[in-house]
Amino acid sequence: GAKDKAEAAMQLLQTLHGAGGAPAGHGLTQTDVDTNKGYYSVCPIPGKPIRMIVLDSTDAALASPGIAQQGSMDQAQYDWLEEELWSASAAGELVIVVTHHRLEEFHAQSEVPAEALEALLGSSENVILHLTGHGHNNTASVKSLNGDRGYWELMGPSTIDFPLQSRVVELVDEKNGYLSIYVTNFDHNSAAGTLADKARQIAAGRLAFGTTFFAGDTVAFWAEDVQAQNLLLRVVLPASVSSKLATYDDWPTTVESVSTLANF
């Protein structure tokens, strides 16, 4: 029932909070866990003007067959997001938004429609990127394009469907009013005979037999996926953010996607 789902959600949040790595708590606070609040805001690089806002695009109220797998958001989370965007704008911070679902995967019964969420993200010139999952393949599209302003929605690959890749995302201020977003996919270096190597073989077999998570023409699917794997995206960089970034002189001096990853 609803109580069991709430307890399961809290256990998941507690597990994430207790996981190692940075930032501490995986971005969650103990209060978030205790109140079953699965969305949060964090600075991925401590002390730098970049804010990552992680949203919860699942809603237990819609947990019924045919609906639960689609995206949703309640009004309380939307109001919180609006405050976060205002705060980031006042602080001159770049904003990266993260959800499991893409906007087009939101259900019609969502308390906050996908159109309203896109309009809110598009209203903040500080929002540059919306990272998503759920679809198990690589895609990139411009959202809320108004003149030369907009933001990128970028879906990453799955760790269970071929080719079992991950992505490196690098942000580069071009000093000309634009921000470059380098997106580079990489494979796991699994030794022959290991479980990870076996998983990749099985995933490749599923692709060949048309049984991937994505139902449809797998040849066309793969052709489109390859085109969206390694990308160079650009967005307009607000002057307030550019001037804020310029106050720091300890940024990396190389773009790993160009200097290192391109050689593999």
Side-chain angles (χ1 to χ4, degrees), residues 22-217:
H26 199 70
L28 296 163
T29 66
Q30 189 58 52
T31 300
D32 292 334
V33 176
D34 295 340
T35 57
N36 223 355
K37 176 173 164 285
Y39 49 92
Y40 56 91
S41 174
V42 68
C43 291
I45 307 176
K48 295 296 195 298
I50 301 174
R51 184 178 305 209
M52 180 174 289
I53 302 176
V54 180
L55 303 175
D56 181 1
S57 62
T58 62
D59 189 342
L62 296 180
S64 60
I67 296 179
Q69 75 273 20
Q70 294 183 271
S72 56
M73 178 178 290
D74 61 21
Q75 188 64 43
Q77 184 175 182
Y78 178 90
D79 293 342
W80 173 88
L81 172 61
E82 189 171 28
E83 292 179 2
E84 283 291 322
L85 294 179
W86 275 107
S87 175
S89 178
E93 297 172 333
L94 288 175
V95 175
I96 300 173
V97 177
V98 183
T99 63
H100 181 71
H101 297 84
R102 290 182 294 172
L103 291 172
E104 66 185 67
E105 294 160 345
F106 267 56
H107 196 274
Q109 293 185 28
S110 174
E111 186 174 342
V112 175
E115 294 79 9
L117 179 55
E118 180 179 348
L120 177 59
L121 297 180
S123 69
S124 172
E125 63 178 6
N126 296 60
V127 174
I128 58 166
L129 194 59
H130 178 193
L131 298 175
T132 76
H134 191 66
H136 291 213
N137 60 292
N138 298 284
T139 65
S141 59
V142 177
K143 297 293 182 181
S144 293
L145 185 61
N146 182 14
D148 58 357
R149 270 294 311 162
Y151 67 91
W152 285 95
E153 183 184 79
L154 185 68
M155 181 166 68
S158 166
T159 56
I160 64 171
D161 271 326
F162 190 81
L164 283 73
Q165 293 179 326
S166 295
R167 285 188 139 171
V168 172
V169 178
E170 297 179 271
L171 309 179
V172 179
D173 182 0
E174 298 290 5
K175 309 297 184 182
N176 60 1
Y178 288 88
L179 181 83
S180 289
I181 305 172
Y182 288 82
V183 184
T184 305
N185 285 38
F186 64 94
D187 301 301
H188 56 75
N189 186 19
S190 53
T194 62
L195 181 60
D197 179 59
K198 187 66 174 178
R200 187 174 172 85
Q201 292 180 38
I202 294 173
R206 293 181 66 219
L207 181 70
F209 285 98
T211 55
T212 60
F213 182 87
F214 177 83
D217 184 342

Side-chain angles (χ1 to χ4, degrees), residues 170 182 184 253-264:
E170 297 179 271
Y182 288 82
T184 305
T253 57
T254 60
V255 181
E256 296 299 333
S257 292
V258 175
S259 62
T260 302
L261 299 175
N263 297 321
F264 291 93

